[in-house]
Structures are given as structure tokens and as C-alpha cells.
Amino acid sequence: MLYIIGLGLADERDITVKGLEAVKSSERVYLESYTSILMVNKERLEEFYGKEVLIAHRETVESFSDDILKDADKVNISFLVVGDPFGATTHTDLVIRAHELGIEVKSIHNASIMNAVGATGLQLYSFGQTISVVFFTESWRPDSFYDRIKENSTLGLHTLCLLDIKVREQSIENMMRNRPIYEPPRYMTVNQAVDQLLEVEEKRKEKAYTEDTLAVGVSRLGSDDQVIKAGTLKQLLDVDFGEPLHSLVLVGHRIHLLEAEILRENAVDLEHLNLVLKRDYNVDK
């Protein structure tokens, strides 16, 4: 059996009872390490699970999946994913490959940013398409996400923005020279994401959002020290959200009174937030 197990959002204790039982029954345990991160190291997982944990980098999963699946038709193998097993399409590819080899697959689900974002007080039913914001470079500043935000905005829906992480990435020079030298990990902050969003709006000028659009920045969601702050995009530029991981939500105009009340509780500046709610979102106390 191949088990694909969601670990939840924060630490070693977020695994489900069913997931922990599967891990303990497994011959090998892999931890996918490139689509997201936990807030603890693998040694904490090993101590809690009583099992050695093997790190599965992007190239391992995408190019050497047969190594992970080896003997999974005879013994149990666990593949651990931060959040929920299917938050990234890579894991669907692994399932397809397992099926091609006649290996039975069982998924064990858990909390992910896709549902835990409800902690912002914004109703999950009112979210539109989720988008990803990647790090800009000097020569590559993609803005394809803008059209998805605009579509959500037209319908009055909220937009969850997943922020880029760079783990085990090579520089162009090292990649060209085939040198196994990797850049230090980088995790996009809410501030960086907002800065890039505003740059794209300045270029596109289609008013999918503005610096006065209400947004909610979150960090380390699901942990004991999670941060949730609501304000305009301009205000969030200056908020310190601390350690990774960060995410951002753009608030849609079809906002409910209860959603507005939670935004007030998390406001960077309550007086200004009330002004924007009344002026731009037609929501008053």
C-alpha cells in the first residue's frame, strides 16, 4: 500500500490518528519538502513517529518516483505532505504512477491553507479561484494571476493568494554547469506579495484591485503564534508578519456583516478599516 498522508499545518502533533497508524505500519516514510514546510524539523517528526523520515526533494518525486514506490506492492510506504495530500498536482502524478504499477493507494486527509483560511473570518463559500504569486526576477515578472483575481473581483469573491517558496533551488550558472550547489531557502512574505501585486496593477491599470483594496495577511496559520491582520493592501506593506509561511487574501466586495466584524477584530487600523468598509464595500456598523 502507498499511503499519502496529510500532516496538517504546524507541527508533528497535527497528524491524524489514522495517519499516525499508517506511518507506524510503513517500511519507509518520505516527507515531501518543496511545496510547503512544517514549522518543525524532521527530527521532531522522527521522534514522534518512531520512524526514520526520508526527505523527498522535487527531483526525487518528479524524476525518481519509482524509488519511492519500490516494493509498495509488498510493504506499506508512507508519503507525507504538509497540509492535505492533494494541495499540489505533483502528488496526483504520484498516484497515477502507482496505479500504473498496480499499487494500491490510500489518501489520509488533513487541514490545509485551503480550508484553514476560514480562520480569517471570511466565509469559504465566498472564495473564488486560488492564485499563486511567484518571486519576480529582473527578467521575469509574470502577471497571469491578475486575470484570475479580476474574475473573482467581478463576482465579488475573495481571492486566496499562495506565496512562493524556494527550497533547494539552483542558480542559473550552477544549473548550466550541472553543479549540485543550492541557494538558501526563501519564503515570500505578505509584504513582498503586496508589493508585486501593486506593481502589476500599476502596469495593467484594470482595477482588479487597488492599494485601498481590503486584504488579510496571515502567517504560521494553525500554530500557537499565528498572525492574522486585516487592512488595505497599502497598510499591509508595513506589517511585520514574522516567520514563514505567509499567505494573503484579497477581500471581495460581496462581503457579509459577520465577515466585516471579524475583519474589525483583526484590523491594523480599526478607524481606517471602518471608513474603507463603508466607502468601498457598502458595509456599515
Side-chain angles (χ1 to χ4, degrees):
M1 174 84 73
L2 171 67
Y3 288 105
I4 302 185
I5 302 169
L7 295 183
L9 293 165
D11 60 36
E12 74 278 10
R13 298 168 297 166
D14 285 345
I15 193 171
T16 64
V17 173
K18 186 181 292 185
L20 184 58
E21 289 174 347
V23 167
K24 289 183 177 295
S25 76
S26 293
E27 186 84 8
R28 298 193 307 280
V29 180
Y30 294 91
L31 173 64
E32 185 264 270
S33 68
Y34 59 91
T35 60
S36 189
I37 59 167
L38 280 179
M39 298 167 206
V40 295
N41 57 33
K42 84 177 185 77
E43 286 73 25
R44 285 269 294 272
L45 300 184
E46 290 175 329
E47 182 179 356
F48 191 72
Y49 301 157
K51 288 280 185 177
E52 179 185 9
V53 175
L54 306 170
I55 298 297
H57 301 295
R58 181 186 295 274
E59 58 267 33
T60 305
V61 179
E62 295 184 350
S63 302
F64 301 99
S65 61
D66 285 354
D67 292 344
I68 296 173
L69 298 173
K70 183 181 179 183
D71 296 329
D73 56 336
K74 305 180 184 71
V75 298
N76 291 340
I77 306 297
S78 283
F79 184 77
L80 310 180
V81 180
V82 177
D84 188 76
F86 296 108
T89 55
T90 295
H91 312 134
T92 304
D93 292 340
L94 187 63
V95 171
I96 292 171
R97 180 60 182 148
H99 287 164
E100 289 173 347
L101 296 173
I103 295 168
E104 187 177 355
V105 179
K106 184 171 184 178
S107 303
I108 301 176
H109 297 280
N110 210 321
S112 76
I113 186 62
M114 302 291 283
N115 55 14
V117 72
T120 60
L122 299 173
Q123 297 172 359
L124 295 179
Y125 293 128
S126 296
F127 277 77
Q129 302 168 87
T130 297
I131 63 110
S132 296
V133 183
V134 301
F135 281 111
F136 284 177
T137 68
E138 289 300 317
S139 58
W140 189 58
R141 308 179 91 75
D143 64 357
S144 58
F145 61 79
Y146 186 88
D147 296 315
R148 307 287 81 75
I149 296 176
K150 188 176 179 182
E151 290 170 6
N152 289 345
S153 178
T154 300
L155 296 172
L157 301 175
H158 313 311
T159 302
L160 171 60
C161 307
L162 304 179
L163 309 188
D164 200 7
I165 69 173
K166 296 292 187 187
V167 179
R168 199 175 162 86
E169 297 281 334
Q170 291 176 286
S171 67
I172 298 298
E173 181 183 356
N174 286 328
M175 191 179 300
M176 292 178 63
R177 296 177 181 273
N178 200 28
R179 295 187 299 207
I181 301 173
Y182 301 95
E183 302 293 297
R186 289 190 296 149
Y187 308 96
M188 183 179 287
T189 65
V190 168
N191 322 90
Q192 290 170 316
V194 170
D195 187 59
Q196 292 189 183
L197 287 175
L198 292 177
E199 177 184 320
V200 172
E201 175 56 47
E202 178 62 25
K203 180 179 75 173
R204 298 283 292 264
K205 297 185 185 300
E206 298 172 32
K207 296 193 180 300
Y209 49 85
T210 72
E211 64 179 19
D212 288 325
T213 293
L214 289 181
V216 185
V218 302
S219 60
R220 300 177 304 285
L221 202 57
S223 71
D224 293 336
D225 65 344
Q226 70 179 21
V227 175
I228 302 175
K229 292 292 183 183
T232 64
L233 285 174
K234 183 178 181 180
Q235 287 175 322
L236 294 187
L237 275 173
D238 299 320
V239 176
D240 182 3
F241 286 90
E243 296 297 310
L245 292 171
H246 293 192
S247 299
L248 176 69
V249 180
L250 303 182
V251 178
H253 281 82
R254 202 171 69 189
I255 186 172
H256 191 276
L257 290 174
L258 292 177
E259 293 178 299
E261 193 55 40
I262 299 295
L263 290 177
R264 292 186 180 101
E265 290 185 7
N266 294 317
V268 174
D269 180 335
L270 179 57
E271 183 178 352
H272 188 71
L273 185 136
N274 278 328
L275 184 154
V276 175
L277 280 173
K278 184 175 182 179
R279 183 190 68 200
D280 299 339
Y281 291 78
N282 198 32
V283 176
D284 203 353
K285 281 192 173 182

